Amino acid sequence: MLHTVSSSPYASASLANCLRYSEPHSEILLLEDAVVAGISGGQWHEKLISSERRVYVLKEDAVARGILENITSPFELIDISGFVDLTARHVTQMTW
């Protein structure tokens, strides 16, 4: 299942709820303000890594927020085309 999170984890419980209720084999896409969760060394960076879910960060949103250089492995930066590919690959999706 693909989970898309768009709200900052510092302003909303969306990402926390996503991690709580999603299956370990799920994939998570951070977009809009949620991309801040992917900042290397941040509290959410470690939580996402330890969740063992595959995490993607929308590159355009990271660029727009000036944090592109702060997004590091194991998160995968994807563009809009990659976003489309993810949605096509997953029959079931959940937006947080």
Side-chain angles (χ1 to χ4, degrees):
M1 176 182 271
L2 175 64
H3 296 268
T4 57
V5 183
S6 59
S7 300
S8 167
Y10 302 103
S12 163
S14 295
L15 183 56
N17 289 334
C18 173
L19 292 174
R20 182 178 299 120
Y21 297 112
S22 63
E23 297 290 327
H25 60 277
S26 298
E27 295 184 307
I28 297 173
L29 172 62
L30 304 174
L31 62 148
E32 298 177 9
D33 289 339
V35 297
V36 299
I39 294 174
S40 182
Q43 74 181 67
W44 285 98
H45 183 261
E46 291 303 318
K47 289 178 184 180
L48 286 167
I49 291 172
S50 65
S51 77
E52 299 181 3
R53 283 145 181 89
R54 188 162 185 186
V55 178
Y56 302 89
V57 177
L58 192 63
K59 183 178 181 179
E60 289 85 349
D61 288 336
V63 168
R65 285 151 183 84
I67 61 168
L68 182 63
E69 63 280 349
N70 301 103
I71 307 296
T72 60
S73 297
F75 306 145
E76 184 176 338
L77 285 165
I78 61 169
D79 58 12
I80 294 295
S81 178
F83 183 8
V84 172
D85 291 342
L86 271 177
T87 59
R89 192 169 71 222
H90 291 277
V91 176
T92 55
Q93 301 173 29
M94 180 72 178
T95 302
W96 298 89

